[in-house]
């Protein structure tokens, strides 16, 4: 097997395992969970605000502290600039963009 072929198989295995984990998480949800979220959406809004506003602000603040080490500062900014999995997928879907 060549390195490229091994990487391809590992990529497919990783994608399949993430898919399986997401299906398992989704099977644990019921309509009651969504009704509760619709009745009390505060947790959703707090989570989104933290992920989209607070985390980037903290990352930029830390990058400012590490301004003498630009590789660390850049890594921190890139890390907090990208939203987490579910939010990122929602943004991609909303923008009608291609994930790949």
């Amino acid at each position: 097997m060549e390195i490229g072929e091994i990487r391809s198989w590992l990529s497919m295995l990783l994608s399949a395992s993430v898919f399986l984990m997401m299906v398992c998480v989704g099977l644990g949800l019921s309509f009651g969970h969504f009704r509760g979220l619709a009745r009390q959406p505060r947790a959703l809004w707090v989570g989104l605000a933290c992920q989209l506003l607070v985390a980037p602000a903290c990352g930029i603040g830390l990058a400012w502290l590490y301004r003498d080490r630009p590789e660390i500062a850049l890594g921190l900014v890139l890390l907090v600039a990208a939203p987490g999995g579910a939010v990122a997928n929602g943004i991609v879907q909303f923008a009608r963009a291609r994930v790949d």
Side-chain angles (χ1 to χ4, degrees):
M1 271 188 168
E2 293 180 24
I3 297 292
E5 192 175 334
I6 292 172
R7 285 184 181 164
S8 177
W9 278 101
L10 287 175
S11 176
M12 287 180 6
L13 180 65
L14 179 64
S15 298
S17 62
V18 169
F19 173 77
L20 183 61
M21 286 187 282
M22 296 305 293
V23 167
C24 291
V25 168
L27 289 174
L29 295 174
S30 66
F31 287 112
H33 290 103
F34 294 103
R35 282 193 297 268
L37 186 61
R39 280 192 295 261
Q40 297 178 341
R42 183 177 181 188
L44 172 70
W45 294 114
V46 168
L48 281 172
C50 286
Q51 191 170 17
L52 296 174
L53 300 173
V54 176
C58 290
I60 290 171
L62 283 171
W64 183 79
L65 289 174
Y66 284 103
R67 64 186 177 272
D68 57 335
R69 304 272 315 266
E71 64 277 2
I72 293 176
L74 179 62
L76 283 166
V77 170
L78 289 175
L79 185 66
V80 297
V87 175
N89 287 339
I91 292 170
V92 168
Q93 182 68 27
F94 181 72
R96 294 187 180 129
R98 290 182 48 181
V99 177
D100 57 346

